Amino acid sequence: MLEIKNLHVTVGGQEILKGLNLTISDGEVHAIMGPNGAGKSTLSYAVCGKDGYEITQGSITYNGKNLMDMDPNERAGEGLFLGFQYPVEIPGVSNMNFLRSALNSQRRYRGEDEIAAVDFLKLIRAKAAELDMDPEMLKRPVNVGFSGGEKKRNEMVQMAVLDPSLAVLDETDSGLDIDALKIVATGINRLRATDKSILMITHYQRLLDYVVPDYVHILAAGQIVKTGGKELALELEEKGYMGLGITESAA
Amino acid sequence: MVATQEAKQTVQDVTGEYKYGFVTDIETERAPKGLSEDVIRFISAKKDEPEWLLAWRLKAYQKWLTMEEPTWAMVDYPKIDFQDIYYYSAPKSAEDGPKSLDEVDPELLRTYEKLGISLKEQEVLAGVAVDIVFDSVSVATTFRKKLKEAGIIFCSISEAAHDYPELMKKYLGSVVPVADNYYSALNSAVFTDGTFVYIPKGVRCPMELSTYFRINEANTGQFERTIIIADEGSYVSYLEGCTAPQRDENQLHAAVVELITHDDAEIKYSTVQNWYPGDKDGKGGIYNFVTKRGACRGKNSKISWTQVETGSAVTWKYPSCLLIGDGSVGEFYSVAITNNYQQADTGTKMIHIGKNTSSTIISKGISAGKSEATYRGLVRVMAGAENARNFTQCDSLLIGDKCGAHTVPYIEIKNPTAQVEHEATTSKISDEQLFYCQQRGLETEDSVALIVNGFCKDVMKNLPMEFAVEAQKLLGISLEGSVG
């Protein structure tokens, strides 16, 4: 269970999150929507521990552990995965090597044995096949020369291999055509089927047609201002933020 | 920028803290300090050298006296007092010459064990013949019998002077003339040991030949001399690697390596260099002034240099190729990591003389701390070199904001049919890349290692497997391509 209480986050001297509260129980899928600049990406970075996102007040705990004391890789070891809005390129490092190093690092953190090379190969090939990724892509350097859709598909393959207990997806659906969107949705739903928790940050209702959330939150001006079921996303789609009485300077 | 700070710390951890800083206590027999004709005679007598070699040394010494220390490289270090150096130092047990490993000073063997070089293990597992140079005398040679069956000569330079004088006279100084530069002249006067390799016609050397160099005695300059000859249609892969114990005084190393390929022959020469780089404040460390050159004398012959340079306080090194034979090929693949106050001025010279000659240069420089790395490369196409081709790629990766990377290409073309390409890039490890790796579960230092490894991949993949492992240890990076 992820518990965020009264979270205040400052970036570059400017307060972006101003007392955010959010609880995600095991197996739940939450969607966070909100206007530009509301602090959606800041929330995902703060949860995953990116440098420069300074927590000035409040707390983030995961399964009772204080995440704020942990380095990003330790949080990953605890089961956190961040699907990036803009996955970065790592020239010269094959997808395969990258993911095996990452998985083994997580396993070491959890006191587990490293995965045998043969078992890893089977695992990654199976996951790539589930998400229709050409096995050749696994040998290519991480995200180098990938299209936007390929990068997001790669994020989903990484997520499937690392098998996190909580996935935070930061606008994973942005800039995707319908086919790529379906692939992303497939990745999320497969994870969901194993009773994992998911936090989807999105601009659009579109993704929620494929991954139906248990809760929808609206984030504006650094706080969650409205929470509802899946119908809230539809309402938002219809009326817009203004129609729901939410402005950039809410709260 | 916190991540960048961490990255700098990490690279310090990876390259900075020198793990092999210990000193072996072995009785040594030394020449008196300083350089003179007497010292050279002492060295020559110690090695029981033939008269012609002594004469050759003395001539080199006279030449050296007339020369000036070069200052054009982008390196800065206190003036070396050449009279304050011991020019000969040998482990005493070498006096009688060990017949097998059992006769080698156990202290010495333990030293290598600390370095992770177990001779016994290597003999059995690696299939690598090892000619270890400890200070200045070879103390153990393995696999010689097997090589002998193939007609391959793999011995110390001293032995070659005795046993193969004709080959020695023919090739010594034939690629790097005595007076080529200040340090080659010095080396010619005082070289104490090194390796001699001869691969006969049509023989493909059945194993990778390897020599570990290690500087041990304080204030002992190392003046190794290596000659490798690949006769017609032969092939050899040679590995050179080294670590050194921690010392406060700067230690001078001025090696000369000469490679010769005849028609259709190929030499692949790989180096992993990890000498003590000095401490975090720039105190101590090895001065590495090396002259390495290969001559592709035969048609369609090939010389390939691959180097991973992580150590030394000051590096001055330009493994080069003289492409004399028509259709000959020269290659230079280099990774140079500098950290703290290290300085490296390194690169290559590709001299196209024959027709249809081609060369490839791939240089990857990684600078961290307050270090300076310079790539200095010359591509020269002579008037008679019809259809010469060169491709050069120089990439620099910066970690932190106090280091420097410089690229100084020289291109001289005297034949209009030449095709020469030069590409250069400079980049930094970004916080975004680091966070991406960390978020997937990698620790900071592993993330840096992974990114650096990727950056160097085009060079690392040219290393023989045994050496790639060594390089991986040095760079703290995981090996590419071990899966899949």
Side-chain angles (χ1 to χ4, degrees), chain B residues 73-78 314 343:
Chain B
M74 202 169 140
V75 291
D76 187 27
Y77 54 91
V314 181
Q343 306 170 67

Side-chain angles (χ1 to χ4, degrees), chain B residues 120-142:
Chain B
K120 300 240 179 217
E121 220 176 24
Q122 286 197 358
E123 278 181 317
V124 178
L125 295 175
V128 175
V130 180
D131 178 354
I132 286 186
V133 177
F134 182 85
D135 273 5
S136 310
V137 170
S138 301
V139 292
T141 303
T142 57

Side-chain angles (χ1 to χ4, degrees), chain B residues 80-91:
Chain B
I80 298 166
D81 182 354
F82 288 94
Q83 296 304 333
D84 195 34
I85 292 172
Y86 289 102
Y87 288 87
Y88 181 82
S89 158

